[in-house]
Amino acid sequence: MHRTVGDRLATGQLPEHLSPAALTALVRPGELVYVPGSSGAPTAFMHALLQDAERTQGLRMLTTYVPGINRLDLSSVHPSSRVAGLFMQPSLRERSEEHTSELQSQFRISY
């Protein structure tokens, strides 16, 4: 049975504190990762995740990064990944529409 990171933390299967590099090792292809924006953005985690495009292969990211506050550089994201966000980012505009989307006001993902 595939257990989420939260499940593994709750059952004591993971240490309470993980380094950003250790956290990125838990991300598997095809999983959905929520990346909060504004002042709560996980900058160390994102830096570690984007060091190697293979880490993001097949990854689905949902973000609330805020333009002008959070910079989302997608040049290091694997082409097979998908990124969706509440706010349009300049880097989202540069990527192919098949890999990015902007959530509509009804919170529906449009591809």
Side-chain angles (χ1 to χ4, degrees), residues 64-77:
T64 54
Y65 268 29
V66 179
I69 296 176
N70 309 113
R71 184 174 184 278
L72 182 57
D73 179 12
L74 296 177
S75 64
S76 298
V77 175

Side-chain angles (χ1 to χ4, degrees), residues 14-95:
L14 290 175
E16 188 174 325
H17 299 284
L18 295 170
S19 70
L23 189 56
T24 63
L26 298 174
V27 176
R28 298 183 181 119
E31 286 188 324
L32 175 63
V33 175
Y34 171 65
V35 183
S38 194
S39 62
T43 54
F45 168 72
M46 288 301 289
H47 178 76
L49 183 66
L50 298 177
Q51 289 298 305
D52 178 12
E54 292 302 312
R55 289 184 185 156
T56 62
Q57 184 173 4
L59 193 66
R60 298 176 300 134
M61 284 190 281
L62 173 62
T63 183
T64 54
Y65 268 29
V66 179
I69 296 176
N70 309 113
R71 184 174 184 278
L72 182 57
D73 179 12
L74 296 177
S75 64
S76 298
V77 175
H78 194 276
S80 68
S81 67
R82 307 216 21 129
V83 179
L86 296 177
F87 309 106
M88 180 52 84
Q89 293 280 331
S91 59
L92 292 177
R93 197 174 312 125
E94 297 162 4
R95 292 268 308 227

